[in-house]
Amino acid sequence: MLRYFLPNEHVKSIFDITPEPLKEKGIKGIITDLDNTLIEWDRPSATPDLVEWFENMRNQGIQVTIVSNNNEKRVKSFAEPLNIPFIFEARKPLTRAFRRALQLMKLKKEEVVVIGDQLLTDVFGGNRLGAHTILVVPVANTDGFFTRINRKIERKILNMMKRKGMIYWEE
C-alpha cells in the first residue's frame, strides 16, 4: 500500500524538471498541480521564471495541463493568461481528472508525468493512474486549511517509508 504514495522522483523545484530528460523517457506531456507546486497557494499569477519554464516546455513539444483541486476562479485566473489547459475541482486523488487531462492532450499514461507537492493527492493519484510521478518540495511554507491536515498525514507516511528504507532524499 505504501508504494502508492512513493513518487518515482523527488526534486526541490519545478525548475529542476527540464524537457531533455523527459523527452529521453518518451514523455510528451505534464500533468501538474498548481498551488505550492508551480507557485505559492496565495500568489495570483505566474512569476517570470515560471512563464519561461512553460514556454521552454512548449517550445520543446511538451504539453502542460494543470489539474487542481482548487476552484474554477483560482485555476482559470492563473492558467488562461498563459494559454494553459486546466481542470479545476479535480477531486484528486481520484483518477477521473487525470484521465480527462490525458484526453485533452491526446496522450497515453506512459507519455506523461504527474508533478505535485502532495503525496495524498498528486503522487497517490498519479500512481493510481499508472503514470510517472514527481514530488516537488512545496514552494511556500504555509498551506490552506485542508492541505495542513494532509501535510500531517504525509509526514507520518514519509517517516514510515524512511524507516522501511523506501526513500533516500532529505526533506
Side-chain angles (χ1 to χ4, degrees):
M1 183 64 180
L2 275 181
R3 270 185 236 126
Y4 276 112
F5 297 102
L6 185 65
N8 297 106
E9 294 180 54
H10 177 266
V11 296
K12 297 250 186 240
S13 160
I14 194 83
F15 302 112
D16 294 326
I17 302 168
T18 58
E20 295 77 18
L22 294 177
K23 288 169 77 172
E24 287 172 12
K25 292 176 185 166
I27 300 300
K28 298 176 182 175
I30 293 171
I31 297 172
T32 184
D33 179 45
L34 173 58
D35 296 318
N36 279 350
T37 297
L38 298 175
I39 58 167
E40 296 86 352
W41 64 276
D42 56 353
R43 179 187 293 269
S45 56
T47 63
D49 287 342
L50 187 57
V51 171
E52 186 179 320
W53 184 85
F54 283 125
E55 287 173 1
N56 190 25
M57 290 298 173
R58 188 176 287 138
N59 291 340
Q60 293 293 318
I62 296 178
Q63 300 178 64
V64 178
T65 299
I66 295 171
V67 174
S68 174
N69 283 347
N70 213 324
N71 63 57
E72 181 179 13
K73 181 181 176 191
R74 163 67 174 146
V75 184
K76 184 177 187 176
S77 67
F78 176 86
E80 271 193 349
L82 300 168
N83 199 26
I84 295 173
F86 62 91
I87 297 168
F88 60 93
E89 295 175 358
R91 299 181 63 206
K92 295 180 291 184
L94 299 178
T95 59
R96 191 179 95 230
F98 293 112
R99 291 182 196 287
R100 221 167 102 219
L102 289 175
Q103 289 173 337
L104 285 173
M105 293 187 283
K106 296 179 175 58
L107 296 174
K108 299 177 193 146
K109 64 184 177 185
E110 298 82 15
E111 297 174 314
V112 301
V113 294
V114 173
I115 303 171
D117 68 302
Q118 291 189 65
L119 293 177
L120 295 180
T121 56
D122 309 307
V123 172
F124 184 46
N127 284 341
R128 288 181 64 222
L129 179 69
H132 188 87
T133 53
I134 303 175
L135 179 69
V136 299
V137 174
V139 296
N141 291 324
T142 61
D143 288 305
F145 176 75
F146 291 108
T147 305
R148 284 196 302 267
I149 295 168
N150 281 355
R151 297 267 187 235
K152 288 179 182 181
I153 298 166
E154 286 177 357
R155 278 193 287 282
K156 290 179 193 246
I157 292 170
L158 284 168
N159 286 334
M160 269 192 283
M161 288 192 289
K162 279 182 184 174
R163 282 195 306 273
K164 293 180 181 276
M166 295 172 75
I167 57 175
Y168 53 88
W169 68 81
E170 293 298 317
E171 289 181 61

